[in-house]
Amino acid sequence: MCSSTRKPMQVQNRNHPSAVREPTIISHLFEGQLSYSTICMHCDLQAHSTQTFTILSLPIPTGIIKCSLQDCLSLFFEQTALTGGDQKLCSACGLRRDTTVFTCLDKPPEILMLHLKRFGCKGKNQVKLRTNVVFSKENLDLTPFLSSPSAHNSSYSSYCLYAVVNHAGNLNMGHYTALCHNALTCTWHCFDDSVVREVQDHCVQTSDAYMLLYSRRPFQKPKIHGL
């Protein structure tokens, strides 16, 4: 069973002739596909659509100082009810109705980019969430969020971390650094402006993590001429 999700973003139908385009190295490596199912809460009409993505922006649980990356993924994929001003137009009813939305992962990308939504609002004030999001470095499993887990080889929904983008500071002033993993030497390096230095594994996990980049295991090199 797949988990479900929040209000979908505007969906482009990639099956439409006008949406057909030549694949690129970017699309081969970074593009995945989400599947949306909506159900009218008045007449039970079901509709399905898909959306291509290159990055997932994950909400962070509020009111706690520590959570797991799986907690953030579960929030992203949880069932959502669209009511009030967010109601969707039901083609059967001909009216805007309360709608339940389920989202699943149809196609995991080769490289998964996860953006942690650390900047938000608390009342009228904008704030930065400093929640320590604990993430896996070796085996991030997306199987619970697949549209049909039994139809996918579990090894193709498992990921290992290879880079982290950190943000230190606040909304008014901050500094970005990057941590990258060297697969040949199995070491991590910190890139801080013009300074590059090797760091210990335990330095990778911090509450400054802002973006996480994972590569799928086993990594599938795109079949592109000249690459």
Side-chain angles (χ1 to χ4, degrees):
M1 294 290 294
C2 66
S3 301
S4 32
T5 193
R6 57 182 187 173
K7 178 182 178 182
M9 296 174 282
Q10 184 176 359
V11 174
Q12 297 181 5
N13 184 354
R14 298 295 182 178
N15 294 322
H16 193 279
S18 62
V20 175
R21 54 191 172 82
E22 285 293 322
T24 65
I25 183 64
I26 299 299
S27 61
H28 274 290
L29 290 177
F30 294 95
E31 283 190 357
Q33 183 171 285
L34 295 172
S35 171
Y36 293 101
S37 296
T38 59
I39 303 176
C40 174
M41 299 171 72
H42 181 79
C43 70
D44 292 330
L45 177 71
Q46 296 188 29
H48 302 277
S49 58
T50 60
Q51 179 187 34
T52 298
F53 71 90
T54 54
I55 186 170
L56 295 181
S57 292
L58 305 182
I60 298 176
T62 57
I64 56 178
I65 62 174
K66 187 177 182 179
C67 70
S68 70
L69 182 58
Q70 288 290 339
D71 293 332
C72 299
L73 285 164
S74 295
L75 271 180
F76 181 88
F77 285 99
E78 73 177 354
Q79 175 181 330
T80 297
L82 303 183
T83 61
D86 291 328
Q87 287 181 323
K88 290 183 67 66
L89 179 64
C90 174
S91 59
C93 297
L95 297 170
R96 291 189 175 275
R97 298 290 194 186
D98 290 349
T99 304
T100 302
V101 182
F102 301 86
T103 299
C104 297
L105 184 59
D106 259 0
K107 177 190 173 187
E110 288 297 330
I111 294 178
L112 177 67
M113 291 196 296
L114 300 177
H115 162 234
L116 301 177
K117 298 174 70 174
R118 291 199 176 276
F119 303 107
C121 295
K122 187 176 182 180
K124 295 182 179 180
N125 299 319
Q126 291 186 323
V127 296
K128 177 184 177 181
L129 297 178
R130 302 186 183 277
T131 309
N132 187 12
V133 179
V134 180
F135 47 86
S136 169
K137 293 197 290 286
E138 297 296 332
N139 186 27
L140 175 64
D141 184 15
L142 297 183
T143 302
F145 312 111
L146 294 177
S147 56
S148 178
S150 61
H152 295 268
N153 185 326
S154 60
S155 66
Y156 286 93
S157 58
S158 178
Y159 290 79
C160 60
L161 184 74
Y162 79 88
V164 180
V165 176
N166 290 319
H167 178 272
N170 52 43
L171 290 171
N172 299 319
M173 181 179 296
H175 181 63
Y176 289 95
T177 58
L179 295 167
C180 298
H181 185 254
N182 187 325
L184 296 178
T185 61
C186 294
T187 55
W188 284 89
H189 292 79
C190 177
F191 293 78
D192 185 354
D193 292 336
S194 61
V195 177
V196 180
R197 68 183 188 278
E198 184 176 334
V199 296
Q200 299 297 314
D201 286 6
H202 65 82
C203 296
V204 177
Q205 174 69 61
T206 74
S207 58
D208 287 333
Y210 184 57
M211 290 187 65
L212 306 171
L213 286 83
Y214 286 86
S215 61
R216 193 157 68 171
R217 305 171 60 181
F219 181 76
Q220 301 292 306
K221 182 178 179 181
K223 296 179 180 179
I224 299 178
H225 179 69
L227 182 63

